[in-house]
Amino acid sequence: MGKTVDSNGKEERPKWDNKVQYLLTCVGFAVGLGNVWRFPYLCQIYGGGAFLIPYLIALVFEGLPLLYLEMAIGQRLRMGSIGVWTSISPFLGGVGIASMTVSFLVSLFYNTILAWVLWYFFHSFQDPLPWSQCPLNDNSTAYNQECVDSTPVNYFWYRQTLNITPDIEISGSLQWTMVICLATAWCVVYICFIRGIETIGKAVYVTATFPYLVLTIFLIQSLTLPGSTDGLIYLFTPDWNVLKNPQVWLDAATQIFFSLSLAFGGLIAFSSYNPEKNNCQRDAVLVGVINSITSIYAAIPIFSILGFKATNNYNSCRMSNILSLTNYLEIGDQNMTLDNYEQMLEHLNSTRPNEVAEVKLRSCVLQKFLDQSASGTGLAFIVFTEAVIEMPGSQVWAVLFFVMLFSLGLSSMFGNMEGILTPIRDLKLVPTWIPSEFVTAGVCLISFLVALVFTLGSGNYWLEIFNSYVGSVPLLIIAFFELIGVIYFYGMQKFSDDILFMTGKRPNIFWRVCWRFISPLYLLVVFLAYVVIQAQQHPQYPAWNPDYVHFPETEAKDYPGWVFAIIVILSVFPVISIPLVAIYRLIRCGLNRKSSKRFGINPYINNSYDIET
């Protein structure tokens, strides 16, 4: 995939070795961690199979049209995000800058998650797994009290991994083990990206396909676990009443939008390396459908394992009650088992009600354990790691799981980095004599240094802020202006002519109606709904505080005023370039017109200017 030189001696744009490389790279960028730990969570809290209805509607009317638009415009104009939007209209140059800014900010916390994955991966080879039991206290006389009060899994995550502080205002110190893991993660990204698409085109053969192999292995294994059927029934049993909740439709729209990695600029950059004549419509539909099928495919083993975990917790709960009853009522251990627990409890309630009432019994309901939802880091580093402990050959499953997560995250990082580096190269923001390897190294080094904030004791709190606010509203705004830029600045007719040139046929009425009306309206409604919902509540964060009265539950705390100000800045800063560049261009245009009138120059006649050579 080396660079070539055309007949005029000008360096041509790099190209993919083959179509498979391009598709795998786009699929790898779109299919990320959210497909594994966000989509199953939304299905769990929003009525199982019923959530698929708003999800698929959002895919058809919002996701696919935007995906098609980004791939088509990148392929036709053959530039990165800044170059594309500046060439469409100088007033839209800020859209490309906004995409590059979001890609940079998202890559900071996304690679930190990969550092956490590496940390768990390195510890997955231990026997027993380090999160399976509590460590001893400093005096080696008893188990660590914080671990005993919570669970070994929680303790390993919050204390041994994060060493988290009880408040976001308490920064804590750098966790040097996490610093090393973070440096390792950025070194892996740099090695894979050292020659641009030439090296990532080779890497995606592994990073984009390996997760599917692991998911298939997990699927086969999970279906053999006791309780897996309960998890799948929970997943696919629809609760149609939840469709009356507008929050469901909002979350479905945002999930489709973010899972396809729209508005980052990476897809525009990747498609710019395609031949000019390529069926980008087929590519967009294929990538979008594969992304959604992957979400559903990943949900099956995830829910099977969650059903297995819920069944184990349910049995442990009942076993605890059996021990309490047999000890207090002096019943033989063999007389009351898990198999006859309900019948024996009913019998004892009818024959010895007063004595049973004196026993402190836990409420054991399988549905309650199935309802215990978690997403994001909570699913990956707490719920899933707890379930792995109970699986036969737990080290093997832990290693496979974290290698899969790393592959998913790494292929998504390729798109984020491309969204940063391609605009830098296209606009020649650095001198051409500096090798691209040095530019990539500089970006990785700067990103590593900034991301050190996430390795502090309060780093997890800041990562959640970046995740919630950088990767939400700014992307909606960028995508909205992308649609406006292509359809109303570039022109629907010209865009249709370009697609005819590239694919051999014009976009049909569905695509044109979505681009012109449905998709912008959809984005506007989602944006307004999101702002209204956020405005109705003061943002809070869950703090891990061993001194909290209800520990091990997390303590809900309001963000301090200065942190709230940073949240507002993080929501506005990535997209502030859109109005600033437009205003700057408007002022320059006004000044040029005044200058033209003053010297009697007509700016609309080309020969009024000297051409620089």
Side-chain angles (χ1 to χ4, degrees), residues 125-145:
F125 294 94
Q126 298 182 24
D127 185 19
L129 291 171
W131 56 82
S132 63
Q133 56 190 14
C134 287
L136 296 175
N137 59 19
D138 294 337
N139 298 326
S140 299
T141 56
Y143 289 117
N144 181 281
Q145 192 59 43

Side-chain angles (χ1 to χ4, degrees), residues 429-442:
L429 297 180
V430 294
T432 55
W433 56 267
I434 298 180
S436 60
E437 293 86 350
F438 286 13
V439 177
T440 304

Side-chain angles (χ1 to χ4, degrees), residues 141-257:
T141 56
Y143 289 117
N144 181 281
Q145 192 59 43
E146 181 182 348
C147 181
V148 172
D149 291 341
S150 56
T151 63
V153 170
N154 281 328
Y155 181 80
F156 186 83
W157 168 240
Y158 286 109
R159 188 56 55 212
Q160 294 187 305
T161 301
L162 302 176
N163 195 19
I164 197 167
T165 58
D167 194 282
I168 193 172
E169 293 190 280
I170 303 174
S171 296
S173 59
L174 289 174
Q175 310 306 310
W176 290 105
T177 52
M178 283 299 102
V179 172
I180 294 172
C181 288
L182 182 64
T184 304
W186 277 109
C187 286
V188 172
V189 170
Y190 174 69
I191 291 171
C192 292
F193 221 98
I194 191 169
R195 298 289 298 277
I197 65 170
E198 183 174 349
T199 47
I200 66 173
K202 304 295 189 297
V204 292
Y205 285 118
V206 176
T207 60
T209 57
F210 183 74
Y212 290 95
L213 174 63
V214 176
L215 280 175
T216 303
I217 295 173
F218 266 105
L219 176 63
I220 297 171
Q221 167 65 14
S222 64
L223 292 177
T224 66
L225 297 173
S228 61
T229 305
D230 295 318
L232 293 178
I233 292 173
Y234 188 90
L235 168 63
F236 290 110
T237 301
D239 179 7
W240 304 112
N241 291 325
V242 300
L243 297 181
K244 301 175 183 177
N245 181 2
Q247 184 69 40
V248 178
W249 297 84
L250 174 61
D251 283 345
T254 53
Q255 172 64 16
I256 274 292
F257 184 83

Side-chain angles (χ1 to χ4, degrees), residues 12-49:
E12 289 185 348
R13 194 169 188 80
K15 296 178 181 179
W16 300 105
D17 285 346
N18 52 65
K19 185 68 171 286
V20 174
Q21 270 190 358
Y22 166 66
L23 290 176
L24 284 178
T25 305
C26 290
V27 168
F29 182 34
V31 176
L33 298 174
N35 296 73
V36 174
W37 68 28
R38 178 66 177 169
F39 178 81
Y41 164 75
L42 293 174
C43 287
Q44 187 175 9
I45 65 173
Y46 288 140

